Amino acid sequence: MVFTKKALGIEICRNGLRMAVLEGKRGGLPKLCAAGIDSFDAETLRFSQRDPNVLNPASFTAKVKDTHLKLLTSVHRVSVSLPDSVGRIMLLDLETRFRSRDEGADIIRWKLKKSFPVDINDIHLDYQVLRRRETGETVVLVALIAREVVRQYEELLLEAGLEPARIGFTSFSLYRLFSRRLALAENALLLTYFGRTVGIMAVRDGVLDFCRSKEIRASGFDPERVFREITGSLLAYRERNQPHAGQEVFCAAAGSAARDFRDLVAEATGSEPRVLRSADAVSPREDIVCDAVLFDLLSASAGAAMGDL
């Protein structure tokens, strides 16, 4: 018997708070069964890599609790999506072999200790082994975030009555949202534009090969700066890895920027990209009214929730 499971995802971003409750069965298309969107009061949040992000804990907690209550769901376990800008994501080549996960973490900390303005031991580190090169190096995907930043979010979510299962970055939430489609292409290039952030991920033989994101600090969609970031990211990717034949190009963007972003991706890559839409990755339950605009807003929170289905 295949059981239906429910999962809750939250995105915390500059525009506020987005929540999505999904239900699904293994191998099936997830369904949206509840959603909540709200904004924080001014000066509630200030995103930082060093310092706790929430400046007004009481207001933050009240908003999270109220939005969750309006979902009318019994799900309290939550996966959280934070902006990439509050931490660091990188791929590293490690020449030293390691025999355990803890030993691998120690090697990574030693390799990175001179790259950070704060003590590396004050940084929460998670990593995943991606591949082992023929030359002997181990390629790892590393995610870093200050312990104080994570601790504050965990404590405030608990205070709001939620149980934080995992806290991750928006790039990974978006990748997870579109992963079913990307899995059909062994070699894929995914470019995204959500929340004023340009993201690029490359997959080779089904394994992540490159990852980079950059927030564009502009009041609206700025084609020139977005194009410059796309070309800069592609240059960095090509310097690190040889592009592969048969690589399919995908793109996804929210709202009115979607068409312009697709055109910029086509110009930068020289390929006609396949457009991915959040509304195609998640379907609404029969009793839920949801349009493409709402699905775009829920992209990262839905992607976070999918990690718990």
Side-chain angles (χ1 to χ4, degrees):
M1 182 179 294
V2 179
F3 295 96
T4 301
K5 185 178 181 181
K6 288 188 177 181
L8 171 63
I10 294 180
E11 180 193 12
I12 298 169
C13 61
R14 295 191 184 280
N15 292 329
L17 175 69
R18 288 91 181 265
M19 293 190 184
V21 180
L22 303 184
E23 62 180 15
K25 300 175 182 178
R26 184 178 296 275
L29 190 69
K31 289 188 175 183
L32 177 72
C33 50
I37 296 176
D38 211 334
S39 58
F40 292 113
D41 297 333
E43 300 303 318
T44 296
L45 279 173
R46 183 177 300 158
F47 292 121
S48 168
Q49 290 188 357
R50 292 189 181 189
D51 304 314
N53 291 184
V54 182
L55 306 181
N56 189 335
S59 177
F60 177 90
T61 303
K63 188 72 69 173
V64 170
K65 188 173 184 178
D66 182 60
T67 305
H68 180 255
L69 286 173
K70 291 177 181 178
L71 297 179
L72 301 177
T73 179
S74 60
V75 181
H76 290 79
R77 175 185 168 93
V78 61
S79 293
V80 184
S81 180
L82 297 177
D84 293 16
S85 59
V86 305
R88 295 274 298 275
I89 302 170
M90 63 184 71
L91 270 69
L92 289 179
D93 293 337
L94 302 181
E95 298 177 358
T96 306
R97 293 275 184 169
F98 49 90
R99 292 167 293 182
S100 68
R101 185 164 185 81
D102 288 344
E103 184 179 356
D106 289 340
I107 292 172
I108 294 170
R109 289 191 183 95
W110 180 83
K111 186 178 180 70
L112 296 177
K113 66 180 180 179
K114 295 182 179 179
S115 304
F116 287 86
V118 296
D119 189 341
I120 190 65
N121 293 315
D122 294 332
I123 300 292
H124 176 76
L125 182 153
D126 195 11
Y127 74 95
Q128 178 182 349
V129 175
L130 298 179
R131 66 174 76 246
R132 299 190 187 277
R133 299 188 189 277
E134 294 179 357
T135 51
E137 297 97 338
T138 301
V139 183
V140 295
L141 172 66
V142 182
L144 304 159
I145 188 169
R147 293 187 188 277
E148 286 301 312
V149 172
V150 173
R151 185 178 296 116
Q152 185 191 41
Y153 281 117
E154 289 176 335
E155 291 174 351
L156 294 180
L157 289 170
L158 286 169
E159 189 175 332
L162 301 178
E163 303 171 18
R166 66 167 60 85
I167 296 179
F169 296 120
T170 295
S171 285
F172 297 133
S173 296
L174 294 175
Y175 179 84
R176 191 179 296 112
L177 179 70
F178 299 120
S179 60
R180 286 168 59 92
R181 178 61 186 88
L182 295 173
L184 300 178
E186 288 188 357
N187 300 320
L189 189 64
L190 171 65
L191 296 100
T192 59
Y193 181 79
F194 287 84
R196 297 187 300 181
T197 297
V198 177
I200 176 172
M201 287 186 172
V203 176
R204 176 165 61 94
D205 300 328
V207 178
L208 187 67
D209 208 34
F210 181 82
C211 178
R212 179 172 172 173
S213 66
K214 175 70 173 181
E215 183 179 8
I216 306 297
R217 295 186 179 274
S219 57
F221 185 76
D222 186 329
E224 182 177 344
R225 294 179 65 185
V226 170
F227 183 76
R228 190 161 60 242
E229 183 54 40
I230 292 174
T231 54
S233 294
L234 289 174
L235 179 61
Y237 166 54
R238 289 162 183 158
E239 287 179 346
R240 177 181 172 88
N241 302 287
Q242 181 70 29
H244 304 281
Q247 186 180 57
E248 292 188 58
V249 179
F250 299 88
C251 71
S256 60
R259 179 173 295 183
D260 289 340
F261 185 71
R262 186 207 69 81
D263 292 343
L264 293 178
V265 171
E267 183 178 352
T269 62
S271 301
E272 186 63 27
R274 297 178 182 269
V275 177
L276 301 178
R277 297 179 176 86
S278 304
D280 296 330
V282 179
S283 63
R285 203 172 60 184
E286 292 75 10
D287 58 333
I288 298 294
V289 178
C290 189
D291 59 14
V293 174
L294 180 57
F295 272 122
D296 281 347
L297 292 174
L298 297 174
S299 295
S301 57
M306 287 172 68
D308 227 15
L309 287 178

